[in-house]
Amino acid sequence: SGRIHMGHVRNYAMGDVVARYKRAKGFNVLHPMGWDAFGLPAENAAMERKVHPKEWTYANIAAMRAQLQSMGLSLDWSRELATCDPDYYKQQQRLFLDFLAAGLVDRKTAKVNWDPVDQTVLANEQVVDGLGWRSGAPVEQRELTQWFFKVSTYAPQLLAALDRLDRWPDKVRLMQRNWIGRSEGLAIRFALDRATAPEGVGEIEIYTTRADTLFGAKFLAVSPDHPLATRLAKSDPALMAFIDECHRMGTAEGTIERAEKKGYDTGIRALHPFDDGWTLPVFVANFVLMDYGTGAIFGCPAHDQRDLDFVHSVGLDATPVVCPPGIDPASFVIGDTAFLDDGIIINSRFLDGMTVPQAKEDVARRLEAQMRDGRPVSVRKVNFRLRDWGISRQRYWGCPIPVIHCGECGIVPVPLCELPVRLPDDVTFDRPGNPLDRHPTWKHVPCPKCGKPARRETDTMDTFVDSSWYFVRFTDPWSDEPTSQAAAKWMPVDQYIGGIEHAILHLLYSRFFMRAMRKTGHIAIEEPFSGLFTQGMVVHETYRAKDGSWLSPAEVAITSEGGIRRAVHARTREPLSIGSIEKMSKSKRNTVDPDDIIETYGADTIRLFMLSDSPPERDVIWNEEGVQGAARFVQRLWRLVGDTKSIMGNGGPSPNGEELVYSPAALAIRKAAHRALAQVEIDIEHLRFNVCIAHIRELANTLQDAMSELDEGAARAPDVVAALSEAMRILIAVTAPMAPHLAEECWQALGAPDLVARAAWPQVERSLLTDATVTLPVQVNGKKRADITVPREADGAAIEAAVLSLDAVKRAMEGRALRKFILVPGRIVNVVI
RNA sequence: GCGGGCGUGGCGGAACUGGUAGACGCGCGGGACUCAAAAUCCCGUUCCCCCUAAAGGAGUGUCGGUUCGAUUCCGACCGCCCGCACCA
């Protein structure tokens, strides 16, 4: 919605921790925060407020910047960039024109769902029961010419490169793989019986991955949008009605529940490619998609569930042509379930006895060799599900598409010197439709080529275009070109953090964009994000009053009586029901405002809670008790710093450069600190922030205990003072990435120079990570019975003797003989009897 | 329907490549301080048996397998979650 919500805070906090850590480790870090915080024109918010979306967005960039800073998500090493900024759009328009020149842009006409009241194109999910999502009016089908990026030409590369994205979650890679949807098959031209076919239509080309089942064919079917169907409908009102019905069903019920399979018999007969005397009926069928394959199929009901469902409604039967292993072909019949697995080919003349792959190959070879009209009847074809990306939007918000339509010259790019094409400021939103299109003057311009009156393109780009390359622009937002040498230096992004909801669209579009920018010479990389992490959502309980209205957590008081949690209205004490835990949303009103929490607890507390409560990839349940726990830790750390100071006395340690001899107590403090430091490094590298904070708390506990055990005299011993001072600095340094404000205060209180944010990361002393002795758990037959502490270098025989003389071991052995003695050095001992 | 993932205390969760299950926190119980409360600190907190402790038994969804040893590996089942969905 434009304002920062808890989901953003979690996202940015994670990135900020990694950035601060890497920076302390000596890396140059560019940590741009997501585009959505920087003013993706927020259509809904602007619509609700009846304000100019652009104005609203700019006002909010300033507010968001202040919010970010209040949370310690400082911008000192980020670059500021608004993706709706005219300069950003200028560069984006340049990219568009370069893509256009390179043949990566397409203009296609297709049927769209059109809301006649809102005067706008609807996405499939915006159509409910055949009605427009906002207007509630019946949706119309309309032909519209729109702009597309040719993503599908990169489908093979986008698929193949997924294997190399080894720092991406498998889940996202799999989702993209399915989305791209590669399949290998045959395109087969079926000749039509001339007596039944319309004039000039000699064949239908279908696509199949199951050429092995060709002898099980019972019919051909084409999509309602297939050219043949359109042509036949012109002279057949009944077919026309059927096609209209399919369109309505397709938009309405298709998305809600699986529609019944229906077909219209065209009367045309198609000839089987292996037998001229065998003809098949041709249907127009509602379940055949125009935008996959050739928009036409052959139907084999025995081995395809859809085809089987379909033939029931038109009275055809199913002949099995693949027999499952171990079944007698003579008795194998198809009931309500199609047989989809592998088997042996039957009822298929020359294919009989082959396996499925053998039969596919045989059919492909025979049909490739069979010629008609100088072309093979069939060609092997790899098909992709991935479609081109329609970027046209008939809306005000978004980057204008920089072309001009001229009656004489056709489509003419806007000259580079005239970029950016700016959006007009004087638009109105009081009427439906595209404000750019009905603006009185904006679109009327002379043709740049011939000077005659022409028309500006009034479509704007999908805002996903804005987010497809913002991370590249961040590397040098002031460059006069879309990119500069800085992009080569910084790209690809080492670590990208975002929600799983971007698994397909945003992440795939960005991958396409890098390839397109590479082809047009703007960048030298193919993949935008070498490391990807998908973080969980921030969720919260929901509260409902008797009348069904939702209440926000701020209006609710939680009481706990006898261990049962109850919710009441904070003011009226009206009892409320506690509902399910859901993603924070405005509609359920279960949001918590980050500003309120900052006001009460401070920014570091939010950050600590967000990072510590759950593993980052899982949802985090926002609960007040947990936040209070984080707040307690903030207080405890601050007190610990105060205690350290009083024990160390004024002025702190003064080792005089002599080699200190550490007493066991001092050594224990140092060991605890360096162990925690080593752990924190591993945890941050693996983005396991919850475990990281556990290790920090453990160290704080240890130091607190150590201090309370020391008496005044011992505490003043120089070795203890030095150890404590070192340990405290380590503690604060490792806390700094998570809780930067607190850490700076503590750093200063400890008398350290400069800022912890500018300090180098402490160095782990490896020698402190191992002990001279090691405590091994002792198992008897796999059950733990005792512990034994032995020198690290002790030999096996000595350990065995020591273990067998333990009372607990003797008791557990009950006088039985030792069968085997297992020693895993440094790990465990197991006595087998 | 197809594909993927996950099941650990009252709760969020931890456990390196098979090696002490329950780190750290929340909650809860008890105590200290206080006239009192808040805050803070200390102790306890998987379950069973037991006045308590020691000792013991059970235990990572269920059942089985591999192993000296399984939350971890394998098989079957049960439950929950997510993604895609007429893709020929």
Side-chain angles (χ1 to χ4, degrees):
Chain A
S1 72
R3 248 185 112 63
I4 288 174
H5 57 71
M6 285 297 181
H8 291 122
V9 174
R10 195 176 190 207
N11 183 239
Y12 306 152
M14 286 181 195
D16 197 48
V17 170
V18 177
R20 285 175 188 269
Y21 167 74
K22 287 288 182 186
R23 193 163 186 255
K25 277 277 193 179
F27 291 92
N28 280 326
V29 178
L30 180 62
H31 173 217
M33 276 165 291
W35 83 91
D36 47 355
F38 285 93
L40 183 74
E43 65 177 273
N44 288 337
M47 297 273 284
E48 277 168 26
R49 289 168 180 76
K50 299 276 180 226
V51 296
H52 198 300
K54 200 166 146 196
E55 218 169 88
W56 187 87
T57 300
Y58 278 116
N60 272 271
I61 290 169
M64 283 190 278
R65 192 171 291 150
Q67 248 187 318
L68 284 169
Q69 274 162 344
S70 78
M71 277 179 254
L73 298 162
S74 63
L75 304 176
D76 61 352
W77 65 77
S78 311
R79 312 286 174 93
E80 297 177 36
L81 172 73
T83 55
C84 61
D85 188 274
D87 182 60
Y88 184 69
Y89 277 175
K90 174 181 173 182
Q91 305 306 334
Q92 191 162 300
Q93 288 169 1
R94 275 200 56 176
L95 288 179
F96 177 92
L97 294 178
D98 287 351
F99 290 2
L100 185 65
L104 294 165
V105 180
D106 209 356
R107 234 171 115 65
K108 288 193 270 195
T109 303
K111 286 213 173 86
V112 296
N113 293 318
W114 181 260
D115 188 321
V117 175
D118 267 6
Q119 295 282 302
T120 181
V121 176
L122 293 166
N124 277 337
E125 63 272 16
Q126 292 176 336
V127 178
V128 183
D129 291 335
L131 303 176
W133 161 59
R134 276 190 193 138
S135 75
V139 171
E140 288 174 11
Q141 293 285 312
R142 192 182 258 221
E143 294 259 319
L144 205 64
T145 304
Q146 296 188 285
W147 294 94
F148 288 82
F149 281 149
K150 291 195 198 170
V151 181
S152 61
T153 58
Y154 283 101
Q157 292 94 318
L158 289 169
L159 184 71
L162 283 175
D163 292 335
R164 298 192 290 273
L165 293 173
D166 53 353
R167 287 177 54 227
W168 278 41
D170 289 342
K171 181 180 173 131
V172 174
R173 289 197 284 173
L174 186 70
M175 282 167 76
Q176 292 214 351
R177 207 166 278 135
N178 292 340
W179 190 261
I180 296 167
R182 183 182 192 274
S183 72
E184 283 178 20
L186 286 184
I188 304 175
R189 294 154 57 213
F190 276 73
L192 300 183
D193 172 19
R194 294 205 183 281
T196 58
E199 189 61 35
V201 181
E203 62 182 32
I204 295 175
E205 187 177 19
I206 62 98
Y207 177 73
T208 182
T209 57
R210 291 299 303 270
D212 55 307
T213 63
L214 207 49
F215 285 104
K218 295 290 171 181
F219 64 91
L220 257 58
V222 301
S223 162
D225 295 319
H226 195 276
L228 178 65
T230 311
R231 161 139 186 212
L232 292 172
K234 280 179 186 151
S235 55
D236 185 348
L239 177 57
M240 180 73 93
F242 176 77
I243 292 172
D244 281 349
E245 191 194 331
C246 290
H247 284 146
R248 276 196 301 280
M249 298 285 282
T251 53
E253 282 173 52
T255 51
I256 300 161
E257 58 183 324
R258 188 177 265 183
E260 194 196 337
K261 289 176 181 42
K262 286 181 188 165
Y264 181 91
D265 192 343
T266 61
I268 299 172
R269 306 291 293 189
L271 275 48
H272 194 282
F274 286 128
D275 186 346
D276 285 351
W278 178 0
T279 65
L280 301 163
V282 177
F283 291 91
V284 175
N286 64 347
F287 65 97
V288 181
L289 304 174
M290 189 57 220
D291 45 21
Y292 188 78
T294 58
I297 61 158
F298 88 82
C300 176
H303 303 290
D304 185 296
Q305 192 61 47
R306 292 159 311 198
D307 296 346
L308 186 62
D309 294 345
F310 175 68
V311 291
H312 287 155
S313 74
V314 293
L316 294 170
D317 64 343
T319 308
V321 290
V322 181
C323 186
I327 302 278
D328 173 26
S331 62
F332 181 51
V333 288
I334 298 290
D336 284 339
T337 312
F339 177 70
L340 308 177
D341 293 335
D342 277 5
I344 299 299
I345 306 293
I346 53 170
N347 302 329
S348 297
R349 306 185 194 182
F350 50 83
L351 297 177
D352 283 352
M354 291 186 188
T355 63
V356 166
Q358 285 168 346
K360 280 181 182 172
E361 182 58 31
D362 196 57
V363 169
R365 240 184 328 209
R366 283 170 189 261
L367 291 183
E368 272 172 341
Q370 195 178 317
M371 303 296 282
R372 191 167 69 237
D373 305 335
R375 285 192 298 142
V377 162
S378 175
V379 290
R380 291 170 208 250
K381 202 168 153 191
V382 174
N383 231 317
F384 291 93
R385 208 191 80 112
L386 183 67
R387 284 180 275 160
D388 284 338
W389 172 17
I391 59 158
S392 280
R393 296 291 179 274
Q394 293 74 38
R395 306 221 170 135
Y396 172 79
W397 37 87
C399 179
I401 293 174
V403 300
I404 290 165
H405 298 273
C406 172
E408 301 278 324
C409 315
I411 290 171
V412 183
V414 173
L416 289 186
C417 61
E418 288 177 26
L419 296 184
V421 175
R422 285 170 183 269
L423 294 166
D425 287 326
D426 51 340
V427 286
T428 53
F429 296 92
D430 51 353
R431 282 185 291 146
N434 183 358
L436 295 180
D437 196 38
R438 61 161 191 268
H439 189 279
T441 56
W442 186 78
K443 68 177 172 184
H444 301 295
V445 287
C447 169
K449 252 191 195 164
C450 66
K452 287 186 182 147
R455 188 178 61 78
R456 235 185 237 300
E457 174 61 62
T458 56
D459 284 354
T460 52
M461 294 182 214
D462 180 2
T463 47
F464 269 118
V465 179
D466 304 358
S467 59
S468 291
W469 73 289
Y470 75 100
F471 41 88
V472 180
R473 185 67 185 165
F474 264 115
T475 61
D476 192 352
W478 305 286
S479 169
D480 288 337
E481 304 279 317
T483 61
S484 71
Q485 286 301 309
K489 179 183 161 196
W490 289 105
M491 288 285 117
V493 176
D494 296 291
Q495 183 64 62
Y496 202 59
I497 303 176
I500 188 75
E501 69 273 17
H502 292 132
I504 305 296
L505 298 181
H506 168 52
L507 291 172
L508 197 60
Y509 291 155
S510 299
R511 296 182 63 217
F512 159 77
F513 235 80
M514 290 312 104
R515 286 166 172 79
M517 286 174 75
R518 185 171 134 127
K519 187 173 182 189
T520 51
H522 290 288
I523 201 163
I525 58 159
E526 281 193 338
E527 287 297 333
F529 314 119
S530 45
L532 173 69
F533 186 85
T534 50
Q535 115 251 21
M537 297 181 296
V538 183
V539 295
H540 197 285
E541 285 183 332
T542 49
Y543 309 102
R544 261 190 135 159
K546 278 212 185 67
D547 63 4
S549 61
W550 302 96
L551 283 100
S552 77
E555 300 166 308
V556 176
I558 300 288
T559 57
S560 179
E561 289 156 37
I564 299 164
R565 293 179 74 248
R566 288 178 208 285
V568 295
H569 195 289
R571 202 161 30 76
T572 65
R573 311 311 289 180
E574 178 202 348
L576 306 168
S577 64
I578 299 179
S580 59
I581 297 171
E582 292 183 52
K583 180 181 182 174
M584 286 190 177
S585 75
K586 269 195 230 157
S587 59
K588 302 271 171 77
R589 303 198 63 213
N590 59 339
T591 56
V592 175
D593 186 352
D595 283 343
D596 290 349
I597 305 295
I598 292 171
E599 191 72 23
T600 316
Y601 296 102
D604 286 346
T605 299
I606 308 188
R607 294 172 56 124
L608 281 172
F609 172 72
M610 285 279 192
L611 295 168
S612 69
D613 198 59
S614 295
E617 70 277 10
R618 262 185 241 181
D619 290 350
V620 59
I621 304 170
W622 185 270
N623 65 316
E624 198 75 9
E625 289 90 352
V627 179
Q628 280 167 9
R632 258 199 300 277
F633 179 68
V634 170
Q635 299 298 334
R636 218 148 65 80
L637 202 62
W638 179 240
R639 260 199 321 276
L640 192 56
V641 168
D643 292 350
T644 319
K645 274 170 69 183
S646 70
I647 284 178
M648 296 192 312
N650 295 329
S654 50
N656 303 331
E658 295 163 30
E659 190 71 18
L660 271 170
V661 179
Y662 289 103
S663 62
L667 201 59
I669 291 170
R670 297 196 69 213
K671 281 182 172 175
H674 283 270
R675 275 189 194 141
L677 175 60
Q679 283 293 339
V680 165
E681 290 185 2
I682 295 167
D683 294 335
I684 296 182
E685 296 280 358
H686 291 94
L687 309 179
R688 296 187 311 188
F689 307 114
N690 57 327
V691 186
C692 176
I693 290 175
H695 284 127
I696 292 173
R697 295 180 104 128
E698 216 171 358
L699 175 59
N701 291 348
T702 305
L703 295 183
Q704 198 170 359
D705 291 349
M707 260 187 265
S708 64
E709 277 168 20
L710 293 170
D711 58 50
E712 195 69 358
R716 289 276 160 79
D719 64 325
V720 174
V721 170
L724 265 179
S725 169
E726 179 193 7
M728 281 305 293
R729 284 211 186 174
I730 288 175
L731 176 63
I732 300 309
V734 299
T735 307
M738 333 273 157
H741 305 89
L742 172 69
E744 292 299 352
E745 290 292 330
C746 294
W747 196 249
Q748 199 182 3
L750 288 171
D754 202 18
L755 298 173
V756 68
R758 281 201 282 263
W761 190 257
Q763 195 80 34
V764 179
E765 243 176 73
R766 297 279 151 195
S767 62
L768 290 170
L769 301 183
T770 49
D771 284 314
T773 60
V774 57
T775 299
L776 300 173
V778 176
Q779 294 182 337
V780 177
N781 279 354
K783 283 220 179 296
K784 191 199 167 195
R785 299 294 175 180
D787 284 313
I788 189 166
T789 301
V790 295
R792 177 162 287 279
E793 305 303 333
D795 68 43
I799 294 174
E800 182 170 343
V803 163
L804 293 177
S805 66
L806 289 171
D807 285 345
V809 172
K810 283 181 187 160
R811 196 166 48 234
M813 286 176 77
E814 292 170 327
R816 280 176 284 171
L818 176 73
R819 278 207 303 167
K820 202 169 172 188
F821 186 85
I822 290 166
L823 170 68
V824 184
R827 271 279 140 96
I828 201 164
V829 171
N830 195 4
V831 178
V832 186
I833 52 172

